[in-house]
Amino acid sequence: MTKSSSNAMWGGRFASGPDAIMEAINASIGFDKRMARQDIDGSRAHASMLAAQGIIRDTDAGAIREGLLTVLSEIETGSFEYSAALEDIHMNVEARLKEIVGEPAGRLHTARSRNDQVATDFKLWVRDQLDAAEGAILSLIGGLLDQAEAGADWVMPGFTHLQTAQPVTWGHHMMAYVEMLRRDLSRVRDARVRMNESPLGAAALAGTSFPIDRDATAQALGFDRPSANSLDAVSDRDFALEFLSTASICAVHLSRLAEELVIWSSAQFRFVTLSDRFSTGSSIMPQKKNPDAAELIRAKIGRIFGANTALMIVMKGLPLAYSKDMQEDKEQVFDAADNWMLALAAMDGMVRDMTANRESLAAAAGSGFSTATDLADWCVRALNMPFRDAHHVTGSLVALAEKEGCDLPDLSLEQLQSVCAEITQDVFSVLSVEASVASRTSYGGTAPVQVRAQVTRWREILA
Ligand code: ARG
């Protein structure tokens, strides 16, 4: 029926096959074979629906459904032979189905187009990735909670401008990342809800005259409902964009923790020791232990956000409905998904394996006049001083300590009184870092009681 040199699926009106360059630019099988399972799930649901609606015979649908399982097992065992001439996963699967079951295979594509087919397959693929991301984020949150619980009262310097600001607790710092990941998790779940409408049955762009049941295929594939506009259904890639932007924001968070681990594991900081399992050595400097995993996680945002930008630009200005431009969506999403999952898993491993160096953290916590704010607050509370005056007095005392080459708690009462005569012995109760963090009991504050309360709250959420 079709000429042998032209495409068996759409070559009816073509006298010759494509130029080799045309085939090279057109074929997506090299990457969209990753959607084979989703394609076969979608086709099996479609075949069942066609039979239930009396559009094809039950025996044909049965042969199609069985044959598709054979194709799937060939793909999974690696015996399937992909063909670039067949362009994409959709036509590769259908062509093989034809070889296996013969004539009924030609009935599968009734009331369907590759346009709704690819939108459906890709959505199913992205949805699986959102589910995987949810699990990976929850696991990382678990690792951070363990760290936070162990070090709920370990003091460390808190920074602003990467300058010592006020003492905080290790647990509090870990819990800050838990909150970032909580927001990532909610974006993942939110994106999943919004994307979960089935494009299948939108056909090429206008719907179909066959009496299909879109609710049935939507339900069979785990969608909440069919999408309500066929033009939108085949041209919508919001779900991919939302996946990429969600991944990008999460990757920003991972990159910030990664950067802290790089800094903290340096010889100058020694706040943490990364495990051998998540470090590498240098081929020339025997003493080196490099935080490569953290550095690579820090860098992953580059390609993930790059994918987000790339697909935004592909989609920008595209007229309705499907355009082949949209085939450029998949490699971006595949690459971003792979690297997001890898970054989450590597961070999870690093966080669970790392050891916080309690002594180094405590030593650093006390340096840099980190309790200056506590001193000023004491002047406000004990001496009823306006905060601005207290700030000034404390500044003078910091200058004095700097001149003496000591920290604030090392100044004598006489030295303190030389700047402000009203200061009493009681002030020393707030100058230690332990007293400082213990006093910050406001909701969300760094006090160990607050950190433990947040850890408990999170354990309950996760249980
Ligand atoms: N490989 C194509 C893609 O990924 C499938 C849809 C092709 N549709 C078409 N009308 N040529 O977008």
Side-chain angles (χ1 to χ4, degrees), residues 249-294:
I249 297 173
C250 181
V252 167
H253 297 150
L254 296 178
S255 81
R256 296 180 75 173
L257 179 52
E259 166 74 349
E260 299 210 292
L261 295 181
V262 169
I263 295 172
W264 292 351
S265 62
S266 69
Q268 288 70 23
F269 270 76
R270 292 177 180 282
F271 283 6
V272 295
T273 306
L274 300 176
S275 72
D276 288 356
R277 301 194 322 146
F278 285 94
S279 312
T280 60
S282 157
S283 54
I284 177 167
M285 296 165 283
Q287 86 284 10
K288 294 268 285 186
K289 187 167 158 189
N290 295 327
D292 296 46

Side-chain angles (χ1 to χ4, degrees), residues 296-316:
L296 288 163
I297 294 168
R298 186 171 61 183
K300 289 296 183 196
I301 175 64
R303 62 201 292 167
I304 295 172
F305 192 66
N308 187 34
T309 308
L311 188 56
M312 285 281 184
I313 294 170
V314 166
M315 295 308 296
K316 179 206 165 290

Side-chain angles (χ1 to χ4, degrees), residues 350-372:
M350 249 190 326
V351 164
R352 286 172 190 276
D353 270 22
M354 72 186 179
T355 313
N357 302 326
R358 205 176 162 177
E359 291 73 32
S360 308
L361 290 169
S367 67
F369 313 110
S370 64
T371 54

